[in-house]
Amino acid sequence: MARKKKEENINTNPLADNVHIQGAGTVKDEHIIETLKSNYMPYAMSVILSRAIPEIDGFKPSHRKLLYTMYLMNLLQGKTIKSANIVGRTMQLNPHGDASIYETMIRLSRGNESLLYPYVESKGNFGKAYSRNMMYAASRYTEAKLAPISKELFEDINKDTVDFVDNYDNTMKEPTLLPVTFPSILANVTTGIAVGMASSIASFNLGELCDTTIALIKNPDHDVSETLLAPDFVGGGYIIYDKAELDKIYSTGRGSVKVRAKYKYDKSYNCIDITEIPPTTTSEAIIDKIVELVKSNKVKELSDIRDETDLKGLRITLDLKRGTDPDALMTKLYKLTPLEDVFSCNFNVLIKGTPKVLGVKEILNEWIEFRVECVRRKTQFTLDRKAQRLHLLEGLKKILLDIDKAIKIIRETEAEAEVVPNLMIGFGIDKVQAEYVAEIKLRHLNREYILKRTNDIENLKKDIEALDAILQSKNKQKKIIIKELNDVSEKYSGDRKSEILYEFEEFDASAAAEIPDYPVTLFITKEGYLNKIRTANLRMSGEQKVKEGDSVEKVFECSNKDEILAFTDKAQVYKAKVDDFADSKASQLGTFVASKLEMESNEKVIFICVVREYKGYMIFAFENGKVAKVDIGAYQTKTNRKKLINAYSSKCPLSCIEYIEEDCELVLCSTNGRMLILNTGALSPKTTKDTIGVSVMTQKKNCRLESMHFYKEGEFEKAWRFRTKNLPAAGALPGPADNTDQITF
C-alpha cells in the first residue's frame, strides 16, 4: 500500500524562488510503513522510553530530573524553600514547562498522599489524591524539600555508581538512573500510559519488600508470597486476600487487587464514618454514587450523607435510619459503590531500554542485578581513588629519607619546568608522585607531617586488599546490599497501612434486606401522579392534594411489598415495587409515575394495577370487539427488569384494560349504545402477552368497542338480555329501567 503526495507549484513570482521548499512540486511515492517508521515510531519510542514507563530505579525521567535537581540544591538538609524556586531550577533538566514539573512534585509530596513513601516533604496546600475538588495551591505559595528517605536515592551517586549524560542543552550532567538502596520500583504506586502500552505498579510495604529481597539474594528459589503478603496502599483500607490472584501478579505481573474502604460505626450518633478508601477512587465519586442509589431507592437505610474531611484527614459520614444494621449496609455499599474497587496491576518496567512486563520476583531479581552493578562500580571507584592515594604517599615516603635533599634539588633547579624531572631522578619516583611532592606547601616540609601521611600507607593497603576482595566476590557485594536493605527497613518501614482481610462477607442480592411489610393506600390521579400513604396515617390525613385540573382516578389498598404494573400507550409495561415509591402525605402531590419509571418522553400511562402474587388475568378489550385474556404470570420476571415490551397487541387500537384475580363478569359497551355481559371464564387464557384475542362483541360499520367495566348486580332489569351463550354476539340496547346512569368507567 502506498500513499501519494503531490505538491503543486502555484508560485508565479520568480523573485520568491529562494524561499521554495526543496523538492516542492514533485510527486513522491512513499510506502505507508516507511512513513510510520520515520514519523510515528520515533514519537512512540520517545513516549515509551522517556515519559510514561518507569525504569528499574522506580522513576520516570520527570521524577528523576526533579529529585536530582533538589539534591543539587542541597535540599536533603535545612529548611523548605519555595516550590517555584525548585520548579525553575528543574527546567535546566526538564524543559517541558513549569506546570508539569510542579504537578510531578505534587504527586511526590507527603501532603498530597499519593505515595506510600513520599520523597518530598511539603509545606502548604498540596491538595489530596483522594479528592478531585481539593486542588493544590500555586507553586509561589507552597514550600518543599527532600524527605529523609530520599537520602537512599542518592547514596554514593558521586562515586560512579550510575552513568551520567548531558542535559538537553549540554550545559550540565544528569544521571540516567538513581542508585537507590532499596527496590523503590515496588515501594510506591506508579502508573503511566504510553503508546500501545501502559504501566500500573502497586505499592508494597517497605519492610516486607526488603525482607523479600534479602530472602531472594540468599535463596534465588525463595517463594515471594511467603514474605510479601499483599500490596499496601497509602490510603489504607482492606485488601481482599485472593491467593490465586496474588500468585498470578507475583508470577506474571498482571492481575487485580480488590481494596475495600475502612469504616467505624458511631453508636452514639447512629452514623458510619468512612476514613480510608481505595486508591482508585475519590471521596466525591463515592458520595455521588451513594446519592444516586438513594435517589433511585436502591439504598433506603440512609437519612443523610456528608463529607466531613478536614485537616485530620478523610471522613465521609453516613447518617443511618433507626434500626439499620451498619455492617449489612456497608456490605451492600461495597457491592454497589466504589467503596470496594479494583487496582489493576500491569508491572511494565523499562529494563535496559526495553519495556517488559515482569512478575514481582523477576523485578526484584533485575533490581538485585542493578544494585550489584552499583556496588561493584562504587567499590571500583573507591579502590581506584585509594590506589592513587597510596601511590602518592609511597612517593612522599621516599622524601622522608632525605628532606634536605628534596629542598636542595628544588632550590638549585634554575627552571621551574625542571623541578619535577629532577625530583624524579633524585628519588626514583614517577611524574605523578613528583608533581605531588612539588606542590606540597613549605610549612608541610617537616618530618611530623610526612610521618603522619606515610602512616596511612598500611591502612590504605589493607583497605585496597578488602576492596579488591569485594570486587572479586559477588557474595560480598550481595552482603553489602543486604546490610543496606536491613538499614533502610529499620529506618523507614512501618506497620502496614492496608489491612489484609482473609475472611470477608460478600453482598448477596438474593439475601438482601427484606422489604418492610405494612399496609399502604395508593392514590393515582388522571395526570399520572402516585401518592403512597401509610394506611395507619390515613385517618390523620386531610383531603388528598392534587394539581389544579387533576383528580384522583383510582385508590388501591395494598401492601408495601406489592408490585405495580404500569401499561402505556406504546404497548409497553413498566414494573416497580410499591416500596420504590417513598412514603408521602396527603398534603403532597406524590410522584410522577412516568418520570419515576423513566418512561419515554412521548409515552403516556393508560392503566395501573397492583399485584401481590402473580395470580389472575389481564383483560384487554380492543376497538374491533376482540378481547384478550392473558395470564398475569406472563409479566413475572426472575430478574429485576423494569420494562417489558409487547405488553399487549398493538395491531388494533386498545379500548380498555382490567386486571382480575379470578373470573368474573364484565360489561362491554359499544359506541352504537349496545352492551354485552361477558363472563371471562368463557375465554381461554393465553401466556403470550401480545395475543390479538378472540372476537367477543360484533361491531357494525363505523362502530367500535368503547369501554369495559365490572358488572354490578342490579345494573340491568333483565340481565339475561345482555348475556349470550355463543360468542361473538352483538349485545343488547339498554331499556329505560336499566341503571346505566350509575356506570363508572
Side-chain angles (χ1 to χ4, degrees):
M1 178 180 178
R3 181 181 64 185
K4 282 193 173 184
K5 295 180 179 178
K6 184 174 181 181
E7 299 179 14
E8 295 183 1
N9 188 353
I10 59 173
N11 182 33
T12 57
N13 183 2
L15 298 178
D17 285 344
N18 60 332
V19 298
H20 283 176
I21 299 173
Q22 186 175 2
T26 61
V27 178
K28 181 180 179 183
D29 289 340
E30 188 177 84
H31 287 283
I32 190 67
I33 295 175
E34 296 303 320
T35 304
L36 288 173
K37 284 182 179 179
S38 61
N39 296 327
Y40 186 70
M41 288 306 294
Y43 161 74
M45 292 304 295
S46 174
V47 174
I48 292 170
L49 300 179
S50 304
R51 292 191 189 180
I53 308 297
E55 298 195 52
I56 196 63
D57 63 347
F59 299 105
K60 302 176 187 178
S62 59
H63 300 153
R64 197 178 299 112
K65 294 173 190 290
L66 171 69
L67 293 171
Y68 184 63
T69 299
M70 295 179 74
Y71 171 75
L72 294 179
M73 295 173 72
N74 294 318
L75 290 179
L76 271 172
Q77 301 91 21
K79 298 180 180 180
T80 56
I81 67 171
K82 287 292 184 182
S83 300
N85 189 356
I86 299 171
V87 170
R89 289 283 292 274
T90 304
M91 292 186 73
Q92 291 180 310
L93 298 179
N94 187 4
H96 294 293
D98 60 303
S100 61
I101 296 173
Y102 187 48
E103 286 173 4
T104 299
M105 181 193 290
I106 292 294
R107 188 179 177 278
L108 296 177
S109 70
R110 187 178 302 279
N112 188 249
E113 297 186 35
S114 289
L115 303 185
L116 189 59
Y117 301 98
Y119 300 114
V120 174
E121 294 287 359
S122 54
K123 182 179 179 182
N125 177 18
F126 275 70
K128 293 297 177 185
Y130 55 72
S131 172
R132 63 174 180 241
N133 292 341
M134 296 176 66
M135 297 300 294
Y136 49 83
S139 59
R140 61 183 177 275
Y141 300 117
T142 60
E143 299 181 9
K145 60 179 260 186
L146 288 173
I149 195 173
S150 294
K151 181 177 182 293
E152 306 300 327
L153 307 180
F154 304 101
E155 194 70 32
D156 301 320
I157 194 172
N158 296 322
K159 294 184 179 180
D160 192 38
T161 48
V162 292
D163 293 332
F164 278 74
V165 295
D166 291 326
N167 69 333
Y168 66 94
D169 62 354
N170 299 324
T171 57
M172 61 186 294
K173 296 285 186 179
E174 61 176 306
T176 56
L177 294 171
L178 297 182
V180 291
T181 59
F182 64 95
S184 56
I185 183 67
L186 295 174
N188 282 311
V189 169
T190 306
T191 58
I193 300 175
V195 178
M197 62 180 66
S199 179
S200 178
I201 301 175
S203 56
F204 293 85
N205 178 266
L206 188 57
E208 295 177 12
L209 199 55
C210 290
D211 291 343
T212 304
T213 309
I214 291 170
L216 274 176
I217 293 173
K218 294 179 178 179
N219 176 21
D221 297 325
H222 172 70
D223 183 2
V224 296
S225 62
E226 292 180 3
T227 47
L228 200 62
L229 303 180
D232 191 16
F233 297 103
V234 62
Y238 296 107
I239 301 292
I240 304 299
Y241 186 78
D242 184 342
K243 189 176 189 321
E245 193 69 16
L246 286 175
D247 287 344
K248 180 182 172 184
I249 294 171
Y250 290 168
S251 60
T252 67
R254 295 184 187 274
S256 58
V257 182
K258 282 186 180 180
V259 188
R260 278 186 176 183
K262 188 176 285 188
Y263 70 94
K264 56 184 178 180
Y265 174 62
D266 189 338
K267 189 175 181 180
S268 58
Y269 291 98
N270 191 32
C271 67
I272 292 173
D273 291 328
I274 299 168
T275 54
E276 298 175 10
I277 62 175
T280 50
T281 188
T282 62
S283 57
E284 292 84 3
I286 291 171
I287 291 172
D288 291 346
K289 185 61 179 178
I290 294 176
V291 169
E292 178 187 330
L293 292 173
V294 171
K295 286 183 177 179
S296 63
N297 229 23
K298 291 180 180 178
V299 173
K300 305 170 187 176
E301 298 90 339
L302 298 180
S303 59
D304 192 15
I305 180 170
R306 298 184 302 280
D307 188 349
E308 295 187 349
T309 301
D310 55 17
L311 293 176
K312 295 179 181 178
L314 170 70
R315 185 167 70 178
I316 301 171
T317 300
L318 309 177
D319 288 340
L320 309 182
K321 292 181 180 178
R322 188 178 300 175
T324 299
D325 182 348
D327 295 329
L329 172 61
M330 285 303 296
T331 303
K332 182 178 180 180
L333 292 178
Y334 283 145
K335 182 70 175 179
L336 302 177
T337 71
L339 285 171
E340 179 178 296
D341 212 352
V342 172
F343 184 94
S344 297
C345 297
N346 180 18
F347 290 3
N348 195 356
V349 185
L350 280 178
I351 304 296
K352 298 172 185 174
T354 303
K356 295 181 180 179
V357 179
L358 304 175
V360 169
K361 187 173 183 177
E362 293 172 302
I363 289 176
L364 290 178
N365 283 331
E366 289 287 349
W367 181 86
I368 291 169
E369 183 183 336
F370 160 73
R371 188 58 192 160
V372 165
E373 179 63 15
C374 289
V375 170
R376 189 199 65 76
R377 291 178 62 163
K378 178 187 75 172
T379 305
Q380 185 67 58
F381 178 86
T382 307
L383 177 62
D384 293 343
R385 289 297 177 92
K386 286 185 179 290
Q388 292 173 12
R389 178 70 175 164
L390 177 62
H391 184 64
L392 295 176
L393 291 181
E394 285 177 338
L396 186 61
K397 184 179 179 180
K398 292 181 180 180
I399 301 297
L400 179 64
L401 299 175
D402 196 343
I403 297 175
D404 294 334
K405 180 182 176 181
I407 295 172
K408 184 179 179 181
I409 290 173
I410 295 172
R411 290 185 64 183
E412 292 180 356
T413 301
E414 295 183 3
E416 182 181 353
E418 298 297 321
V419 171
V420 171
N422 289 343
L423 286 174
M424 293 170 61
I425 296 169
F427 289 95
I429 57 180
D430 62 24
K431 185 177 181 180
V432 175
Q433 291 172 319
E435 289 278 6
Y436 176 67
V437 170
E439 293 297 329
I440 293 177
K441 294 180 180 179
L442 187 62
R443 62 181 293 180
H444 292 155
L445 288 178
N446 58 76
R447 185 176 296 273
E448 180 185 4
Y449 174 82
I450 296 174
L451 285 174
K452 282 182 180 179
R453 300 286 76 78
T454 55
N455 283 340
D456 293 338
I457 291 176
E458 291 303 317
N459 292 333
L460 283 172
K461 286 182 177 179
K462 291 179 182 178
D463 291 345
I464 289 171
E465 185 179 347
L467 290 169
D468 191 57
I470 292 172
L471 279 177
Q472 302 304 319
S473 172
K474 273 205 169 184
N475 285 335
K476 290 186 177 181
Q477 295 170 17
K478 289 179 178 179
K479 284 182 180 178
I480 294 173
I481 297 173
I482 290 173
K483 183 181 182 304
E484 291 172 343
L485 288 169
N486 282 324
D487 291 343
V488 168
S489 179
E490 184 179 346
K491 288 179 186 176
Y492 306 109
S493 71
D495 296 334
R496 288 186 60 89
K497 292 194 174 182
S498 297
E499 186 179 338
I500 301 175
L501 280 184
Y502 293 97
E503 295 182 3
F504 52 92
E505 185 180 352
E506 289 279 9
F507 174 71
D508 184 2
S510 62
E514 279 287 322
I515 296 175
D517 186 6
Y518 53 86
V520 297
T521 301
L522 304 182
F523 295 89
I524 299 173
T525 71
K526 287 184 177 180
E527 292 192 8
Y529 283 85
L530 184 150
N531 203 6
K532 185 179 84 172
I533 303 175
R534 288 177 180 249
T535 304
N537 299 338
L538 200 56
R539 294 179 180 178
M540 297 179 288
S541 302
E543 186 179 352
Q544 177 62 42
K545 182 180 179 181
V546 294
K547 290 176 66 176
E548 185 177 351
D550 196 6
S551 62
V552 175
E553 186 178 46
K554 288 187 178 181
V555 178
F556 294 101
E557 292 185 1
C558 57
S559 166
N560 188 57
K561 297 180 70 173
D562 293 350
E563 291 193 13
I564 293 174
L565 298 182
F567 292 84
T568 72
D569 57 353
K570 301 295 183 183
Q572 299 183 144
V573 62
Y574 290 80
K575 300 175 63 177
K577 295 184 182 299
V578 174
D579 184 61
D580 292 340
F581 293 83
D583 291 345
S584 185
K585 300 177 182 178
S587 58
Q588 297 175 330
L589 290 176
T591 305
F592 188 53
V593 176
S595 176
K596 178 71 175 178
L597 300 183
E598 299 177 0
M599 295 182 182
E600 298 171 14
S601 58
N602 59 346
E603 202 168 8
K604 182 180 178 182
V605 177
I606 58 174
F607 181 79
I608 292 179
C609 64
V610 178
V611 180
R612 167 160 290 188
E613 300 177 356
Y614 279 84
K615 294 181 180 179
Y617 311 98
M618 293 301 305
I619 306 297
F620 300 97
F622 300 96
E623 290 186 0
N624 62 2
K626 290 187 176 183
V627 177
K629 180 182 178 183
V630 181
D631 194 309
I632 191 69
Y635 300 94
Q636 188 174 14
T637 55
K638 293 182 179 180
T639 58
N640 292 325
R641 290 170 60 192
K642 292 183 177 180
K643 174 179 163 183
L644 301 179
I645 61 174
N646 299 326
Y648 57 86
S649 176
S650 57
K651 293 182 178 179
C652 180
L654 184 68
S655 175
C656 193
I657 309 176
E658 288 291 353
Y659 166 57
I660 59 174
E661 293 185 357
E662 57 185 16
D663 285 321
C664 63
E665 290 187 321
L666 298 171
V667 179
L668 307 181
C669 304
S670 176
T671 53
N672 60 12
R674 290 183 174 272
M675 296 184 178
L676 177 67
I677 298 176
L678 169 67
N679 191 314
T680 58
L683 302 177
S684 298
K686 304 293 183 181
T687 55
T688 305
K689 299 190 298 294
D690 59 349
T691 178
I692 61 174
V694 296
S695 295
V696 173
M697 190 175 187
T698 56
Q699 300 295 316
K700 292 183 179 181
K701 189 177 181 180
N702 297 327
C703 294
R704 57 185 174 83
L705 197 156
E706 184 179 25
S707 63
M708 175 175 65
H709 63 270
F710 289 100
Y711 172 69
K712 295 180 181 179
E713 195 65 39
E715 183 177 334
F716 300 110
E717 180 183 21
K718 298 176 181 179
W720 56 267
R721 294 180 53 242
F722 300 90
R723 292 189 175 96
T724 180
K725 293 181 181 180
N726 300 314
L727 294 176
L733 292 170
D738 293 322
N739 192 18
T740 56
D741 294 336
Q742 302 302 319
I743 297 174
T744 56
F745 299 105

